[in-house]
Amino acid sequence: MTSTTTTVNTPRSTLARIIAAGTHQRVLAFASLIVLLIGFSIASPNFMQASNMIAILQATSVNGVLAVAVTLVIITGGIDLSVGTMMTFCAVITGVVLTYAGMPLLLGVVAAIATGALAGSLSGTFVAKMKIPPFIATLGMMLILKGLSLVISGTRPIYFNDTPGFSEISRGSLIGNLIPALPIPNGVLILFIVAALTAYILNRTVLGRYCFALGSNEESVRLSGVNTDRWKIAIYALAGAIVGIAGLLIASRLNSAQPALGLGYELEAIAAVVIGGTSLSGGRGSILGSLIGALIMAVLTNGLRVLSVAQEWQTVVTGAIIILAVYADMMRRKKSN
Amino acid sequence: MTSTTTTVNTPRSTLARIIAAGTHQRVLAFASLIVLLIGFSIASPNFMQASNMIAILQATSVNGVLAVAVTLVIITGGIDLSVGTMMTFCAVITGVVLTYAGMPLLLGVVAAIATGALAGSLSGTFVAKMKIPPFIATLGMMLILKGLSLVISGTRPIYFNDTPGFSEISRGSLIGNLIPALPIPNGVLILFIVAALTAYILNRTVLGRYCFALGSNEESVRLSGVNTDRWKIAIYALAGAIVGIAGLLIASRLNSAQPALGLGYELEAIAAVVIGGTSLSGGRGSILGSLIGALIMAVLTNGLRVLSVAQEWQTVVTGAIIILAVYADMMRRKKSN
Amino acid sequence: MSYLVEMKGIEKRFPGVHALKSVQFSLKPGEVHALMGENGAGKSTLMKIMSGIYARDGGEMFVDGNPVTPDSPRAAQDLGIGIIHQELSLMNDLTAAQNVLIGREPRRSFGRLDEAALNKKTAEIFASLQLAMDPRTQVSTQTIARQQLIEIAKALSYNPRVLIMDEPTAALNDAEIAELFKVIERLKADGVGIVYISHRMDEIKRIADRVTILRDGAYIDTVDAADTPLSKIIQLMVGREVTQNAPVFPDTSQSPVALEVRNLSRGKDVRDVSFDVRKGEILGFAGLMGAGRTEVARIIFGADPRDAGEILVGGQPVNIRTPHAAVDAGIGYLSEDRKHFGLAVDMTVRANIAMANMDQFTNRAGVLDEAAMKRIAVKYIERLGIRTPSDMQDVRLLSGGNQQKVVIAKWLLRDCDVLIFDEPTRGIDVGAKSEIYALLEDLAAQGRAIIVISSELPEVMRLSHRIAVMCEGRLTGILPGGANTTQEDIMELATQRESALVGAEETR
Amino acid sequence: QDGETYIPLISKGFQHQFWQAVKQGADQAAEEFGVRITFEGPDNETMVDRQIDMLAAALANNPAAIGFAALDSQAAIPLLKQAADAGIPVIAFDSGVDSDIPASTATTDNVAAASLAADKMAELIGGAGKVAVIAHDQTSRTGIDRRDGFLNQIAAAYPDIEVVSVQYGAGDQLQSTEVAKAILTANPDLNGMFGTNEGSAIGVVNAVREMGSEGITIIGYDSGKAQTDAIRDGLMAGAITQNPVGIGYETVKAAIAAINGEELPAIIDTGFYYYDQSNIDDDEIQAVLYD
Ligand SMILES: Nc1ncnc2c1ncn2[C@@H]1O[C@H](COP(=O)(O)OP(=O)(O)OP(=O)(O)O)[C@@H](O)[C@H]1O
Ligand SMILES: Nc1ncnc2c1ncn2[C@@H]1O[C@H](COP(=O)(O)OP(=O)(O)OP(=O)(O)O)[C@@H](O)[C@H]1O
Ligand SMILES: [Mg+2]
Ligand SMILES: [Mg+2]
């Protein structure tokens, strides 16, 4: 779709300039998040409790990390359908390393991230070298990894009971140890660290620059003498490594690697990214947006559940609000031009 | 994704010209289908039985019709994630009309198609008028329709036991009645009729022309004074109507409207379309390709089952073969230039 | 006097840019009114307002004396105003005919298309343009020049009373320009008013009746084309005298060879091409459209695969299979199609200038040095006179000529030993053109080897130390540069067809 | 390959622990009786038509008998008829089929089992208070039976117990965790929760652990290591377990009997058990638990 919208962003103030540089677009989805939070607080007194806020953040952690990973790929103009099952695959490998092989915790962490990076670079190779459309390459990977998770685990969950510190990765609270009033679970902390690091990479390093450039006009980047294939593989590998972190988070939270889990998480992550304002046609996007998108999804599901809305209506309302949130975003963006 | 492939089709012979005009690109996926069929026949004597071939065709029918529908939308440069749950929704509405309201069969058929067209035009309106990205608009619709199916049906399947002819829609065999040696189920016949009609619309009518034009350069179409919004809505509505037919097929095959079914069908349909050579960035594609893509998927799953491959390995092999099929396609396309 | 279109006090602001400052413009029936100005002067913007694409911020517009405010291209079309855009806006996946008649397809009942009628109608339009093209060819397979011709055919098919041509000849060769001018004469005779924008000064004398000059978004003057010398018009455009220093052609025959190409072949497009370029030399490439010059450059640069041939850089054979390898070997290539192959238009000027040169702006951890990028970007913006509110402006918001300058800046920064410029001055104004010529001469003087592919013969002759001429994929000869080589010499080689004897002449 | 007895089992799923235990029982019987089996099921319990396609592929391999756990009791009837016409006996397992084609059905009475869970819940919370249900599915037979078995028993026998919320977590541990947390947030004074399958039950346990809620009585369903651990830790009060290994074993055994033309009972009830800290190590219970 070659839409030649004459959107014009010329940030005037220095602050606006920095924000624009940092996010490459205004993150307007934020307003929708606030509206949701206020709405649910009014509707239910139980919603705005500290413990529920923490529960929402906790619920965002896995999907948030996946959304961060997939943002990178989407900015290059690609898509990654394999993030859900890749997360599971990384968790299973960690299970093998820690529980079956009895290795120390750190090695399990490394294994998860390395597995993700490896799987990601495989997807990247399919896309870059073999010129397979990202949709198909990652759909294939989604199935392959799903199957392999079941094969490797023998279709049984792998428990981490023998690795004492493991469940602390997501459930413990470093912040809470320092400031008892703020028992933010480590999983949430990790989400924010991952998001901050990735945002830095995206906006301040060559890799990030090429993410945007590839999504903007791949051929012109190639003709600038850039080894586009190598960079693309690197980007998919980085996304994979981040998915590996998501694998650690979910395994730690469930204290087990559940080999059958994972399908469906990819759509949710992609939805968070798009709600956050990243364009599926590539070239534009921000990590902050994806984070907010993931929060919107988590607030929405949690809020509706706290309100005890009947499940079937929850689905209807979620669908409607996702559309409305993006619509409101569009309107505000239009106005601000 | 700005892939500036320099595909050059200069059909020399009249025949080649017609095929190229009819498909707008060479359908090379066909070769992969043949390779699969031959491979499975060699591997298992049970595969190439008439009854199994019919089972494969039968298994293709629903996914094939969905793939046909989603092809239209993809050619415009959009995507439709709602086809699976929309199919279910249409089936549920038919159930309400036939079983709850006791209307005659024909009205049920009309209801399914009309419901699909209506739901499709709603998606189309979101995309065209409200400028919501198709991914989000149809993701929202997917959730809304899923919820509504459960609400309307009271989360219970609706059976069609009181509408005697209903199960004949998909299970009966008009062809078999005429030529007893060829008991092709009506569902398959309907798939081919729908595909042929849609291919005709795509290649020989204004609506089809605008599908390609919108996917190619929407802004330029708009600047040429075409009411792009209206046409886009029409295209989504047509896709919806076709999804309505898929709803009839599946309801008839199961002799019931299963309100929880539907999720996951969208990815499979989109995969069939992409395997068939239609570009996700719009502007290029063919119905014949999507049909072949759907057949490849069905042959693959059936063949692996007949070979009694362990289920987790089935998944792995399916993923790998999907990637390979598209890769082979790419190679052949490259060579032929 | 009755004007077909009259515009008064037109104002237009974009964020950071006051694009039009109380500009006036008028068009009579049956005249060709040239609109002149430097890159970014506001020509395209004024015409986009006239054709309903932009809304004006102030001022008035009249058609046949009636005040109008066209708020969409459709509304302008209804007023009889048609436009051929500077940037191509075709549907690449469709055929030529499908593009030309989009929205007005001949139909049968039930929305069925009458493809035969569609192709026939388009064929007629093409015939009236003397354009030999099968209406059924797919647009994406055509070179930009031929795509431009399709755009022109499309605009004409509306039978407009006012036709705006925004740099229609930027991608055309002389023969095609001549055909276009014939069409313009015919339209004039029919009373159509034509607004003509071009940076090719010679064309103004050939077809314009009046000339309006804009500078920095302000109206300067409207003069009669026949009685105003070109130098005067240029002076009005630039605001100062442009001095054309006479070219010098140094003798480089003893310099070491920088790039040698031996027996390069690729299908029918490139057939057994061999040549060399020496350090400090500017080698011009002339030829008709489709002669294969772009293809030769792309193969050398590794952008397209080759069937056969060898490439030597500095006497060493190099194995170039990708642009990446070419750049490593010290070869740079500026593409003729900036929008598709030259720029990431959604990114900033700064990012685009740095694109080929990221190593220079990254530390070992891969962190970008934005400050250094800014410094360099600002330097090139000044040096090339790129008109932009800041180096953080998205490239797509720049005027066409300024976009071209950004691509040039990108390759100047890369500092390659061998630089191939494919149509480097496409859409660039006279003032900037001579600056770019000076730059190229500078680069050569510094010992770079430069290849310039250009479809403007005067440009090739002005710049080249030697002139290579291609025809139908073959290198038909290399002529010496300087005053001793005439246009006729070049044209003779450019039309030396091998297939002259082979009957049925095919377009491709 | 030829001459061997081949019995495909089409189940409702295959990746969950429960189905793996059924498969284990079937494999055991297959080895014992020297037959070849395959075991297949769709990814989730909504995919009715996928299951039909599996059945069709199984029939293509000319099996001696078929084991079938119907996702929808009607949808498969044409294919089952086809099997009957070809003289292939069908044994239903886990849930029945509305037809007289199956020679026998090996199953658990889910309604009875869930109402036992309700009784235990009432007993543990003292016959009064608020409880919630995390079910694994809104539309599948087992989901409905277990939910309704529990709800109906509460409604019928314990007027002082209020069911404040019934929500669904798709049997996905993480999703069930989030659902349970939301319920705990909305109902700070909750007394008990019932999770209708392994994933749902673990979700409840996770939620209580993460929220640090006190005084919640949790009753689960099925087994699995996380669940038995939770019971040993005292976090979960107890759980219902079926006998999945038995279901698998009995299905294959019945299939062989049917091939041999033996008479079979209409229902083979494989039974269910309630287990808690007190009896978890009993042999009888250990035999039906799976890790
Ligand atoms: N949509 C826009 N947003 C912001 N600035 C714009 C926009 N369109 C044009 N401009 C600016 O307005 C000025 C005039 O641009 P315009 O395209 O009219 O120039 P031009 O005279 O056609 O130049 P050229 O000869 O290079 O095509 C330029 O500085 C350009 O950067
Ligand atoms: N993108 C393309 N797709 C298909 N054919 C092409 C493409 N680009 C060039 N060609 C063909 O390759 C041949 C050589 O064209 P090329 O553009 O190299 O010529 P050129 O001498 O550079 O001409 P021009 O002055 O038009 O740039 C022509 O026959 C042309 O039609
Ligand atoms: Mg311009
Ligand atoms: Mg060229």
Side-chain angles (χ1 to χ4, degrees):
Chain A
M1 284 174 292
T2 333
S3 58
T4 327
T5 38
T6 45
T7 12
V8 193
N9 337 15
T10 11
R12 284 279 130 248
S13 78
T14 324
L15 181 71
R17 212 177 270 263
I18 287 169
I19 291 175
T23 61
H24 277 261
Q25 74 169 97
R26 300 199 194 110
V27 180
L28 296 164
F30 197 61
S32 301
L33 179 59
I34 302 295
V35 169
L36 278 180
L37 283 173
I38 294 175
F40 282 124
S41 304
I42 295 171
S44 163
N46 292 322
F47 180 77
M48 239 330 146
Q49 295 172 50
S51 67
N52 195 44
M53 289 300 106
I54 287 175
I56 289 175
L57 286 173
Q58 175 90 288
T60 314
S61 60
V62 169
N63 190 35
V65 173
L66 289 181
V68 167
V70 88
T71 306
L72 292 176
V73 174
I74 289 179
I75 289 178
T76 69
I79 192 136
D80 196 340
L81 297 177
S82 67
V83 291
T85 61
M86 192 190 289
M87 163 181 85
T88 301
F89 184 69
C90 295
V92 167
I93 296 292
T94 309
V96 170
V97 168
L98 293 182
T99 301
Y100 291 177
M103 303 280 206
L105 180 58
L106 191 67
L107 234 70
V109 172
V110 172
I113 297 175
T115 306
L118 204 77
S121 61
L122 194 60
S123 299
T125 308
F126 291 153
V127 173
K129 295 276 180 199
M130 291 165 67
K131 310 287 174 221
I132 295 170
F135 187 93
I136 288 292
T138 60
L139 179 83
M141 280 300 275
M142 156 175 142
L143 295 173
I144 292 174
L145 293 174
K146 182 187 163 200
L148 287 182
S149 297
L150 292 167
V151 170
I152 292 175
S153 66
T155 63
R156 268 189 313 277
I158 306 177
Y159 294 95
F160 293 100
N161 292 336
D162 308 334
T163 315
F166 192 75
S167 72
E168 291 300 299
I169 293 179
S170 154
R171 287 186 189 156
S173 176
L174 283 180
I175 301 181
N177 292 350
L178 297 173
I179 318 162
L182 218 66
I184 307 259
N186 290 342
V188 178
L189 186 66
I190 291 175
L191 165 63
F192 284 109
I193 292 174
V194 167
L197 278 179
T198 312
Y200 184 83
I201 291 176
L202 196 56
N203 295 306
R204 296 270 176 269
T205 71
V206 221
L207 189 93
R209 175 57 47 89
Y210 286 140
C211 276
F212 286 107
L214 287 174
S216 203
N217 187 348
E218 179 171 341
E219 189 59 14
S220 105
V221 181
R222 194 175 75 94
L223 291 181
S224 297
V226 176
N227 192 339
T228 45
D229 287 358
R230 214 188 59 194
W231 284 107
K232 220 187 248 179
I233 295 173
I235 293 163
Y236 276 84
L238 174 61
I242 298 172
V243 170
I245 297 175
L248 282 173
L249 288 181
I250 197 167
S252 154
R253 228 181 134 196
L254 302 175
N255 199 31
S256 58
Q258 298 285 340
L261 186 146
L263 229 53
Y265 285 70
E266 67 288 340
L267 274 193
E268 207 157 318
I270 297 170
V273 172
V274 181
I275 292 173
T278 294
S279 153
L280 275 177
S281 42
R284 270 172 307 136
S286 74
I287 297 294
L288 182 58
S290 300
L291 210 55
I292 291 175
L295 273 170
I296 288 181
M297 304 269 290
V299 166
L300 197 53
T301 20
N302 175 285
L304 291 171
R305 282 175 187 151
V306 168
L307 289 181
S308 293
V309 173
Q311 179 107 358
E312 50 272 36
W313 282 109
Q314 282 185 23
T315 322
V316 176
V317 174
T318 306
I321 291 189
I322 287 177
I323 292 179
L324 278 180
V326 174
Y327 179 61
D329 208 33
M330 293 283 154
M331 286 298 97
R332 258 171 277 136
R333 210 171 291 187
K334 211 170 171 184
K335 240 192 203 156
S336 72
N337 283 329
Chain B
M1 286 170 290
T2 334
S3 59
T4 325
T5 38
T6 44
T7 8
V8 193
N9 335 17
T10 12
R12 285 278 138 247
S13 78
T14 323
L15 182 70
R17 212 178 269 263
I18 286 169
I19 291 174
T23 61
H24 277 261
Q25 76 168 96
R26 300 198 194 113
V27 179
L28 296 165
F30 196 61
S32 302
L33 178 59
I34 301 295
V35 169
L36 278 179
L37 283 173
I38 293 176
F40 282 124
S41 303
I42 295 171
S44 164
N46 291 326
F47 179 76
M48 241 327 148
Q49 297 171 53
S51 69
N52 195 45
M53 289 300 107
I54 287 176
I56 289 175
L57 286 172
Q58 179 84 282
T60 315
S61 61
V62 169
N63 189 36
V65 173
L66 288 182
V68 166
V70 89
T71 306
L72 293 176
V73 174
I74 289 179
I75 289 177
T76 69
I79 193 138
D80 196 339
L81 297 177
S82 67
V83 291
T85 61
M86 192 189 288
M87 162 182 86
T88 302
F89 185 68
C90 295
V92 168
I93 297 293
T94 308
V96 170
V97 168
L98 293 181
T99 301
Y100 292 177
M103 303 281 206
L105 181 58
L106 191 66
L107 235 70
V109 173
V110 171
I113 296 175
T115 307
L118 205 76
S121 61
L122 194 59
S123 298
T125 308
F126 291 153
V127 173
K129 294 278 178 198
M130 291 165 67
K131 309 289 172 219
I132 296 170
F135 187 93
I136 287 292
T138 59
L139 179 82
M141 280 300 276
M142 156 175 143
L143 295 173
I144 292 174
L145 293 174
K146 181 186 167 200
L148 286 183
S149 296
L150 290 167
V151 169
I152 293 175
S153 66
T155 69
R156 271 187 313 276
I158 306 177
Y159 294 95
F160 292 99
N161 293 334
D162 308 334
T163 315
F166 191 74
S167 72
E168 291 300 301
I169 294 179
S170 154
R171 288 181 191 160
S173 175
L174 283 180
I175 300 182
N177 291 350
L178 296 173
I179 318 163
L182 218 66
I184 307 256
N186 290 341
V188 178
L189 186 65
I190 291 175
L191 165 63
F192 284 109
I193 293 173
V194 166
L197 278 179
T198 313
Y200 184 86
I201 292 177
L202 196 56
N203 295 306
R204 296 269 176 271
T205 71
V206 199
L207 189 93
R209 174 61 39 81
Y210 290 145
C211 278
F212 287 106
L214 286 173
S216 205
N217 188 344
E218 180 171 342
E219 189 61 13
S220 144
V221 183
R222 201 176 62 82
L223 290 183
S224 303
V226 175
N227 189 339
T228 47
D229 289 358
R230 214 188 58 194
W231 284 106
K232 221 188 247 179
I233 295 174
I235 293 164
Y236 277 84
L238 174 61
I242 298 172
V243 170
I245 296 175
L248 281 175
L249 287 182
I250 199 164
S252 155
R253 197 161 168 224
L254 304 176
N255 200 30
S256 58
Q258 299 284 341
L261 183 149
L263 232 52
Y265 287 70
E266 66 288 341
L267 276 192
E268 208 157 315
I270 297 170
V273 173
V274 181
I275 291 173
T278 294
S279 153
L280 275 177
S281 42
R284 273 172 304 137
S286 75
I287 298 294
L288 182 57
S290 302
L291 209 56
I292 292 175
L295 272 169
I296 288 181
M297 305 269 290
V299 166
L300 198 51
T301 16
N302 175 285
L304 291 171
R305 280 178 191 148
V306 169
L307 289 183
S308 301
V309 174
Q311 190 153 358
E312 50 271 38
W313 283 109
Q314 283 183 22
T315 323
V316 176
V317 174
T318 306
I321 291 188
I322 287 177
I323 292 180
L324 277 180
V326 173
Y327 180 60
D329 208 31
M330 293 283 157
M331 286 299 96
R332 256 172 279 136
R333 212 171 290 189
K334 210 171 171 185
K335 242 194 201 154
S336 72
N337 283 331
Chain C
M1 170 166 10
S2 76
Y3 288 120
L4 207 45
V5 183
E6 193 175 9
M7 299 173 91
K8 284 182 190 163
I10 300 292
E11 286 282 332
K12 182 69 188 175
R13 286 171 187 278
F14 296 111
V17 182
H18 193 169
L20 294 175
K21 304 164 192 161
S22 188
V23 171
Q24 65 189 68
F25 185 80
S26 59
L27 184 67
K28 294 182 225 168
E31 80 163 341
V32 174
H33 193 155
L35 187 56
M36 307 290 291
E38 287 179 290
N39 296 131
K43 306 179 293 293
S44 298
T45 306
L46 185 67
M47 289 306 112
K48 282 180 181 169
I49 288 173
M50 192 192 277
S51 58
I53 292 164
Y54 287 161
R56 57 182 186 260
D57 295 341
E60 308 166 272
M61 173 172 163
F62 304 90
V63 169
D64 298 327
N66 306 315
V68 292
T69 307
D71 54 0
S72 71
R74 189 65 200 247
Q77 261 167 30
D78 292 344
L79 290 168
I81 302 172
I83 182 165
I84 300 162
H85 288 286
Q86 183 172 8
E87 303 293 339
L88 292 170
S89 62
L90 292 170
M91 291 149 286
N92 280 327
D93 301 306
L94 268 51
T95 67
Q98 291 167 355
N99 265 284
V100 169
L101 292 177
I102 184 79
R104 297 164 296 153
E105 298 83 0
R107 298 180 192 186
R108 299 200 204 124
S109 52
F110 304 113
R112 286 177 306 149
L113 293 165
D114 187 345
E115 207 75 27
L118 178 83
N119 288 327
K120 189 157 158 276
K121 241 171 125 175
T122 310
E124 281 162 13
I125 298 168
F126 284 172
S128 74
L129 268 169
Q130 307 287 324
L131 172 56
M133 188 186 297
D134 186 339
R136 288 165 299 197
T137 42
Q138 203 184 325
V139 165
S140 63
T141 64
Q142 299 297 302
T143 54
I144 348 179
R146 293 175 72 83
Q147 293 186 13
Q148 182 75 63
L149 293 170
I150 299 173
E151 284 259 35
I152 292 170
K154 182 177 167 188
L156 286 180
S157 71
Y158 283 96
N159 295 320
R161 291 198 302 144
V162 175
L163 182 59
I164 304 165
M165 298 183 162
D166 196 347
E167 303 195 29
T169 54
L172 302 191
N173 69 19
D174 290 343
E176 289 154 347
I177 292 173
E179 282 306 330
L180 180 67
F181 285 179
K182 273 190 218 154
V183 175
I184 290 178
E185 289 300 333
R186 272 207 308 279
L187 292 172
K188 257 176 88 163
D190 292 346
V192 175
I194 292 165
V195 184
Y196 191 87
I197 301 177
S198 174
H199 289 294
R200 295 186 170 189
M201 303 306 296
D202 55 319
E203 295 176 352
I204 304 309
K205 279 282 173 201
R206 280 169 68 188
I207 56 158
D209 299 310
R210 291 194 298 158
V211 181
T212 288
I213 295 121
L214 300 183
R215 186 165 73 225
D216 274 341
Y219 171 81
I220 300 297
D221 201 357
T222 301
V223 297
D224 209 64
D227 342 320
T228 318
L230 271 183
S231 57
K232 170 76 179 161
I233 294 176
I234 293 173
Q235 193 194 331
L236 288 173
M237 279 169 62
V238 187
R240 63 186 153 82
E241 202 99 35
V242 177
T243 45
Q244 288 270 23
N245 40 348
V248 277
F249 298 105
D251 179 19
T252 53
S253 57
Q254 299 312 311
S255 315
V257 171
L259 173 76
E260 187 177 351
V261 172
R262 283 188 202 149
N263 311 105
L264 210 59
S265 289
R266 182 177 183 221
K268 275 200 274 179
D269 295 344
V270 177
R271 291 184 256 180
D272 199 23
V273 168
S274 305
F275 65 90
D276 56 26
V277 208
R278 292 174 186 275
K279 286 193 167 176
E281 185 184 33
I282 300 179
L283 176 66
F285 263 79
L288 299 180
M289 178 182 73
R293 297 161 300 167
T294 297
E295 200 48 35
V296 167
R298 284 178 60 92
I299 292 172
I300 295 173
F301 191 59
D304 285 331
R306 58 175 182 260
D307 298 340
E310 258 188 303
I311 296 166
L312 293 87
V313 175
Q316 298 298 314
V318 283
N319 181 17
I320 294 173
R321 299 281 167 211
T322 60
H324 172 61
V327 170
D328 274 357
I331 303 174
Y333 169 66
L334 178 143
S335 161
E336 62 181 339
D337 184 349
R338 60 172 173 259
K339 200 167 155 196
H340 287 118
F341 302 139
L343 294 164
V345 290
D346 290 328
M347 301 182 81
T348 62
V349 173
R350 187 195 292 176
N352 271 286
I353 290 178
M355 190 65 78
N357 231 345
M358 295 304 284
D359 293 348
Q360 186 183 329
F361 302 110
T362 41
N363 67 13
R364 229 175 305 152
V367 177
L368 297 174
D369 185 349
E370 287 285 347
M373 268 191 262
K374 183 188 169 78
R375 241 183 352 260
I376 296 288
V378 168
K379 184 177 121 193
Y380 278 98
I381 287 171
E382 269 167 27
R383 191 159 152 205
L384 299 181
I386 300 173
R387 199 152 302 182
T388 171
S390 90
D391 64 322
M392 290 302 282
Q393 183 82 328
D394 281 357
V395 167
R396 88 192 125 89
L397 301 179
L398 299 192
S399 77
N402 284 304
Q403 293 184 1
Q404 182 72 15
K405 291 182 189 172
V406 173
V407 193
I408 293 175
K410 174 167 87 176
W411 285 111
L412 289 182
L413 173 61
R414 176 70 216 195
D415 197 24
C416 296
D417 296 330
V418 180
L419 273 166
I420 308 172
F421 289 93
D422 198 350
E423 313 284 359
T425 62
R426 172 167 290 169
I428 284 193
D429 66 50
V430 265
K433 230 178 219 175
S434 56
E435 277 163 40
I436 286 170
Y437 293 163
L439 263 167
L440 294 182
E441 274 159 358
D442 246 23
L443 286 172
Q446 286 165 32
R448 312 264 181 278
I450 312 263
I451 294 174
V452 175
I453 301 171
S454 173
S455 299
E456 282 184 64
L457 276 184
E459 179 166 290
V460 178
M461 294 166 67
R462 155 80 178 70
L463 275 173
S464 313
H465 303 169
R466 284 188 302 151
I467 302 169
V469 187
M470 286 188 70
C471 178
E472 292 184 337
R474 288 168 300 117
L475 190 67
T476 45
I478 299 185
L479 301 166
N484 295 334
T485 301
T486 62
Q487 294 215 8
E488 287 69 34
D489 297 338
I490 298 175
M491 286 315 291
E492 194 191 318
L493 286 175
T495 51
Q496 211 174 72
R497 299 194 152 174
E498 197 178 47
S499 56
L501 298 174
V502 185
E505 208 176 293
E506 285 215 296
T507 26
R508 285 174 16 88
Chain D
Q1 180 102 38
D2 283 77
E4 98 190 321
T5 310
Y6 170 54
I7 307 172
L9 269 64
I10 309 298
S11 96
K12 294 178 177 176
F14 88 104
Q15 356 181 32
H16 289 285
Q17 287 307 285
F18 178 81
W19 296 113
Q20 285 296 315
V22 174
K23 177 170 186 290
Q24 192 190 322
D27 283 335
Q28 211 175 307
E31 195 167 324
E32 216 168 280
F33 300 110
V35 298
R36 184 169 75 92
I37 66 149
T38 52
F39 191 94
E40 264 193 301
D43 275 349
N44 67 59
E45 300 198 359
T46 65
M47 300 182 145
V48 183
D49 68 320
R50 298 298 149 89
Q51 196 188 33
I52 309 258
D53 291 338
M54 289 179 175
L55 194 56
L59 282 173
N61 275 342
N62 310 317
I66 285 181
F68 183 58
L71 282 175
D72 183 276
S73 61
Q74 291 200 1
I77 288 178
L79 278 173
L80 294 180
K81 276 204 186 110
Q82 192 183 319
D85 291 346
I88 302 168
V90 178
I91 308 295
F93 64 98
D94 190 62
S95 2
V97 179
D98 284 349
S99 150
D100 50 11
I101 293 171
S104 182
T105 303
T107 183
T108 310
D109 187 345
N110 275 303
V111 176
S115 77
L116 173 62
D119 291 334
K120 293 288 177 187
M121 175 71 82
E123 185 186 318
L124 289 166
I125 65 174
K130 291 183 174 176
V131 299
V133 177
I134 310 290
H136 61 280
D137 200 275
Q138 198 168 8
T139 53
S140 73
R141 196 69 254 156
T142 53
I144 294 168
D145 282 352
R146 292 177 199 172
R147 176 195 68 195
D148 291 351
F150 185 88
L151 296 181
N152 293 342
Q153 180 65 8
I154 296 278
Y158 309 103
D160 296 333
I161 297 181
E162 183 195 353
V163 180
V164 291
S165 194
V166 180
Q167 297 202 32
Y168 306 83
D172 173 319
Q173 294 196 359
L174 193 63
Q175 207 177 322
S176 302
T177 305
E178 312 297 2
V179 171
K181 281 171 94 166
I183 291 179
L184 287 169
T185 301
N187 304 281
D189 52 350
L190 200 69
N191 300 92
M193 283 179 124
F194 172 50
T196 63
N197 77 348
E198 188 191 347
S200 313
I202 299 305
V204 175
V205 171
N206 278 343
V208 168
R209 193 179 277 144
E210 285 181 5
M211 301 267 292
S213 308
E214 310 255 319
I216 309 275
T217 300
I218 305 171
I219 291 188
Y221 209 109
D222 294 335
S223 53
K225 185 162 171 50
Q227 206 162 186
T228 51
D229 282 353
I231 288 176
R232 287 183 209 277
D233 294 349
L235 210 54
M236 184 181 281
I240 301 285
T241 181
Q242 313 174 67
N243 182 3
V245 180
I247 292 177
Y249 185 89
E250 293 297 338
T251 304
V252 174
K253 194 174 152 196
I256 292 164
I259 294 166
N260 297 335
E262 293 167 26
E263 273 300 311
L264 284 166
I267 300 279
I268 304 168
D269 190 343
T270 49
F272 58 85
Y273 308 86
Y274 178 80
Y275 65 106
D276 55 18
Q277 252 171 353
S278 68
N279 68 350
I280 189 164
D281 290 318
D282 292 359
D283 288 344
E284 187 193 35
I285 297 295
Q286 277 297 314
V288 295
L289 295 185
Y290 51 87
D291 278 337

